[in-house]
């Protein structure tokens, strides 16, 4: 049988006339990349059931996938036949220098195969555009869908929002797949195959992104801004913008992310999301916003906007007094009886079994009216019980037999908003409002609530983001989001930020979550955000965030070339006695990121989650990275010991205020200073004890052994 060869300068794919993939070679090394013994066809087709009469009678009526069993090439088209089912597909092939592309051109249909059936033929549910059994290699990037190691990379990826990109694990290989799906896009859907050396993979993706007019995900990953940490605020406005700028600059932040509640009216959680009405701090609307953003940029800080593009607030104009028909539904129901005034039960044709019973989410929509319920009956006659008309202050309407309504897709995050039906125009309408604000001068964005879409999530999550992204007049430096799926790799180059953790578990959760994900994200040729980090001032419950906590988090992030996001709160910043030390920690590490100061060996050391480190400024004004460990000290004092130039040092501070520390140091020689190499402070001593000041960070240097220092601080008294 005549083989078909698909190739470019980097790779050669050999497919048999029976459509079984035989070989995939990286030309530069000659290495075979396929597990050809799996004998998998390059294409397949899926029907929900057989429709051809003879196939229907001979085979079970169920969803069935049929493998391709014959292929011929005519110029740049592949003509594909499949086992059993009378379906023929025409696939366009593009052999570009850096990639191959497969596009479903259409189907060839013979009328006699479907005789008198009145339907669109062929009745295809899915067409597999590509399936390749790629041998296991050291790394697999589940987001980008790439298998790679030090010598080769194989990537099946989307070149539009429409294909479903997946991977199936086998003992000897991973089967990388791309599907065109009916209801999303069937004819005209395409996907791309890239085979290259790993150091050339991003160049190939970049070429594909430019050829297909996609967002420049590779370009944003290569920008300096991608690893800069972010100062986040929820309450920035013209009256306090200068104070926010001052705090951000003290922390060395070059990026400032502004929550939509800063400029738009909001209440009840996300209750008014979707209206996007400017609040009282912006009486001139976008003109005031432009002026605020100009002030931030004049300070050398790039502003970004944080929004929830898929949420509609339950108190917004889209819900009350007349609920918009484009609100998302998770189930649909048909009234089996008319609904009259005073009815306490709502009768439906469909079984309501499995409907949500959380008391804040039990809301149905029929027409423009919302109706709450308490429970349901899942035996005929099916009905919802304990109904209340006019929920969320909607206006009651007449509802007759046969009217179709549905169960609102209430957000699980607080139940103050409902998700958008992504198969409607509402997402674009909301995108216009968001883009109007973004185009005032924002330079990046965070797409929160991105998981809030209807199924299929692998399509709607990135496409809902993309529908907003395309409205921006200027491409963002990068975007981040609360959820990601394959296509979002092309623009969501920041990955996901982890949410707030209180001081007591801060270090534990840094190690448990972002530090665990960072090496996996590297397999996707990207980074993640180690934030968001809440900020707490000392209170009755604990002593709040301390400098060593942020230092642990930001240093672990830097180990993987990642940034972090801190949640700024002016009131808490003002109230924290150690805010200067905390922001100085961030400033130093942001400088380290910007100057690429860390060596490879230092990054490896920082990846040891059990060993903490601090970034010092030495006598010459240069950075030094020191491993240190926490030691026992009186309640309210943080103390860490480290060794430097043959001497033992302790960096210590008062967590909640000012005081003195009585240390039993005996007659040993020591110095206390405000900085490494700083002027020694005068400290009194009496009866074998020394009294040293305790407030902001200070450094104690001594010739004592570490064990002696540990004993002295354990026995110290705070006064």
């Amino acid at each position: 049988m005549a083989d078909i060869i698909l190739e470019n300068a980097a790779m050669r794919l050999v497919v048999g006339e029976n459509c079984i993939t035989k070989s995939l070679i990286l030309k530069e090394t000659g290495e075979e990349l396929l597990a050809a013994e799996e004998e998998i066809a390059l294409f397949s087709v899926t029907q929900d059931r057989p429709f051809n009469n003879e196939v229907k009678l001979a085979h079970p009526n169920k969803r069935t996938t049929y493998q391709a069993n014959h292929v011929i090439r005519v110029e740049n088209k592949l003509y594909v036949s499949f086992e059993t089912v009378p379906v023929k597909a025409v696939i366009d092939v593009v052999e570009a220098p850096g990639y191959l592309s497969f596009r479903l051109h259409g189907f060839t249909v013979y009328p006699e195969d479907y005789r008198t059936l009145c339907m669109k033929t062929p009745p295809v549910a899915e067409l597999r555009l590509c399936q390749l059994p790629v041998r296991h290699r050291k790394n697999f990037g589940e987001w980008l869908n790439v298998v790679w190691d030090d010598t080769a990379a194989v990537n099946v990826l989307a070149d539009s929002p429409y294909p479903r990109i997946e991977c199936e694990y086998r003992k000897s290989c991973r089967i990388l797949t791309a599907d065109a799906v009916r209801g999303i896009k069937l004819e005209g859907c395409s996907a791309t195959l890239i085979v290259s050396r790993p150091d050339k993979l991003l160049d190939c993706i970049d070429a594909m992104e430019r050829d297909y007019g996609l967002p420049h995900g590779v370009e944003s990953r290569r920008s300096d801004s991608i690893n800069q940490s972010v100062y986040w605020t929820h309450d920035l406005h013209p009256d306090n913008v200068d104070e926010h700028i001052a705090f951000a600059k003290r922390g060395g932040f070059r990026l400032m992310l502004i929550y939509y509640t800063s400029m738009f009216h909001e209440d009840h959680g996300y209750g008014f999301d979707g209206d996007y009405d400017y609040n009282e701090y912006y009486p001139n609307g976008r003109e005031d916003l432009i002026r605020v953003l100009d002030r931030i940029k004049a300070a050398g800080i790039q502003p970004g906007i944080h929004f929830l593009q898929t949420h509609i607030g339950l108190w917004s104009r889209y819900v009350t007094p007349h609920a918009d028909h484009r609100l998302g539904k998770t189930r649909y129901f048909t009234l089996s009886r008319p609904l009259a005034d005073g009815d306490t039960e709502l009768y439906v044709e469909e079984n309501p079994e499995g409907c949500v019973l959380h008391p804040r989410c039990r809301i149905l929509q029929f027409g423009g009216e919302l109706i709450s319920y308490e429970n349901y009956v899942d035996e005929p006659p099916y009905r919802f019980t304990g109904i209340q008309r006019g929920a969320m202050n909607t206006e009651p309407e007449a509802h007759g037999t046969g009217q179709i309504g549905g169960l609102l897709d209430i957000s699980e995050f607080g139940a103050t908003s409902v998700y958008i039906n992504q198969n409607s125009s509402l997402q674009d309408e909301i995108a216009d409002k968001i883009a109007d604000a973004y185009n005032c001068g924002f330079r990046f964005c965070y797409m929160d609530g991105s998981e809030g879409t209807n199924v299929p999530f692998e399509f709607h999550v990135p496409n809902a983001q993309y529908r907003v992204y395309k409205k921006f007049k200027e491409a963002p430096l990068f975007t981040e989001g609360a959820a990601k799926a394959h296509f979002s790799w092309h623009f969501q180059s920041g990955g996901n930020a982890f949410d707030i953790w209180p001081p007591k578990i801060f270090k534990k959760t840094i190690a448990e979550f972002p530090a665990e994900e960072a090496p996996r994200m590297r397999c996707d040729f990207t980074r993640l955000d180690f934030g968001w980090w809440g900020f707490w001032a000392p209170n009755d419950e604990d002593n709040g965030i301390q400098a060593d906590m942020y230092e642990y988090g930001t240093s672990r992030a830097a180990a993987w070339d990642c940034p972090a996001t801190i949640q700024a709160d002016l009131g808490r910043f003002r109230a924290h006695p150690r805010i200067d030390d905390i922001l100085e920690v961030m400033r130093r590490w942001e400088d380290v990121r910007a100057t690429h100061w860390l060596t490879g060996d230092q990054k490896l050391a920082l990846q040891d989650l059990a060993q903490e480190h601090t970034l010092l400024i030495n006598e010459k004004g240069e950075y030094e990275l020191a491993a240190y460990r926490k030691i026992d000290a009186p309640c309210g004092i943080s103390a860490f010991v480290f060794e430097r130039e043959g001497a033992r040092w302790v960096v210590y501070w008062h967590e909640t205020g000012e005081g003195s520390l009585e240390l039993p140091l005996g007659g040993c020689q020591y110095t206390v200073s405000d900085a490494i190499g700083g002027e020694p402070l005068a400290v009194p001593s009496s009866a074998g004890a020394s009294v040293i000041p305790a407030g902001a960070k200070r450094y104690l240097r001594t010739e004592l052994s570490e064990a002696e220092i540990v004993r002295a601080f354990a026995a110290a008294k705070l006064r």
Side-chain angles (χ1 to χ4, degrees), residues 201-491:
L201 177 67
L202 291 183
D203 290 336
C204 295
I205 297 176
D206 184 62
M208 184 273 286
E209 289 178 335
R210 295 175 189 277
D211 289 348
Y212 283 81
L214 299 181
H216 296 172
V218 172
E219 181 180 288
S220 67
R221 281 168 171 77
R222 289 171 167 170
S223 72
D224 290 336
S225 62
I226 198 68
N227 291 329
Q228 296 171 354
S229 292
V230 181
Y231 177 104
W232 179 95
T233 171
H234 70 285
D235 68 346
L236 182 143
H237 51 73
D239 295 344
N240 65 16
V241 60
D242 291 331
E243 187 175 9
H244 275 296
I245 289 171
F247 275 120
K249 291 185 75 67
R250 284 163 64 185
F253 293 97
R254 297 167 175 84
L255 301 174
M256 180 181 290
L257 184 60
I258 304 170
Y259 199 32
Y260 78 101
T261 58
S262 291
M263 69 282 301
F264 297 116
H265 172 65
E266 187 56 281
D267 202 355
H268 303 288
Y270 308 128
F272 290 90
D273 202 4
D275 285 346
Y276 291 103
D277 296 329
Y278 283 93
N279 62 34
E280 67 274 15
Y281 291 107
Y282 297 80
N284 299 305
R286 68 192 318 274
E287 293 179 8
D288 290 334
L289 179 57
I290 291 171
R291 283 192 286 269
V292 165
L293 299 181
D294 284 345
R295 286 160 73 177
I296 295 170
K297 288 184 282 190
I301 300 172
Q302 296 286 3
I305 183 172
H306 170 183
F307 50 79
L308 292 89
Q309 77 279 0
T310 62
H311 288 240
I312 297 295
L314 288 176
W315 285 263
S316 73
R317 291 188 296 276
Y318 288 99
V319 172
T320 183
H322 185 86
D324 194 287
H325 65 280
R326 299 168 294 178
L327 301 179
K329 318 292 191 300
T330 58
R331 300 271 296 276
Y332 285 91
F333 297 95
T334 307
L335 290 181
S336 60
R337 301 182 187 178
L339 187 62
D341 293 343
D343 284 351
T344 60
E345 296 185 322
L346 184 149
Y347 289 79
V348 295
E349 294 290 348
E350 299 81 7
N351 189 341
E353 181 181 6
C355 282
V356 62
L357 287 175
H358 190 285
R360 298 180 64 182
C361 301
R362 301 183 304 228
I363 299 179
L364 301 165
Q365 180 180 356
F366 282 86
E369 181 185 0
L370 300 184
I371 303 169
S372 67
Y373 63 93
E374 292 183 357
N375 212 323
Y376 55 77
V377 176
D378 58 4
E379 294 181 353
Y382 301 126
R383 60 199 183 274
F384 291 90
T385 61
I387 67 168
Q388 294 289 327
R389 303 286 300 274
M392 303 307 303
N393 295 318
T394 55
E395 296 176 353
E397 303 173 2
H399 305 290
T401 300
Q403 185 179 12
I404 296 174
L407 178 63
L408 274 193
D409 193 1
I410 301 289
S411 169
E412 62 272 32
F413 298 103
T416 62
S417 61
V418 57
Y419 296 136
I420 293 170
N421 177 6
Q422 291 297 320
N423 296 316
S424 75
S425 60
L426 183 53
Q427 184 63 80
D428 292 317
E429 187 172 311
I430 295 301
D432 284 331
K433 296 182 180 184
I434 293 171
D436 186 65
Y438 181 89
N439 294 333
C440 288
F442 288 104
R443 293 295 291 115
F444 67 101
C445 67
Y446 189 92
M447 300 178 177
D448 205 350
S450 290
E451 65 273 50
T453 71
N454 37 295
V455 295
F457 296 116
E458 66 272 16
F459 169 68
H460 283 306
V461 166
N463 196 50
Q465 298 167 334
Y466 193 42
R467 290 166 78 174
V468 179
Y469 182 100
K470 289 187 293 186
K471 304 280 188 177
F472 298 160
K473 291 182 179 178
E474 186 176 358
L477 297 170
F478 63 92
T479 79
E480 290 185 359
K484 61 181 181 289
H486 173 76
F487 181 73
S488 61
W489 190 95
H490 293 297
F491 54 85

Side-chain angles (χ1 to χ4, degrees), residues 696-709:
K697 267 189 182 181
R698 290 188 170 90
Y699 296 85
L700 183 149
R701 182 184 184 277
T702 177
E703 302 297 328
L704 291 175
S705 69
E706 182 173 323
E708 291 171 321
I709 292 172

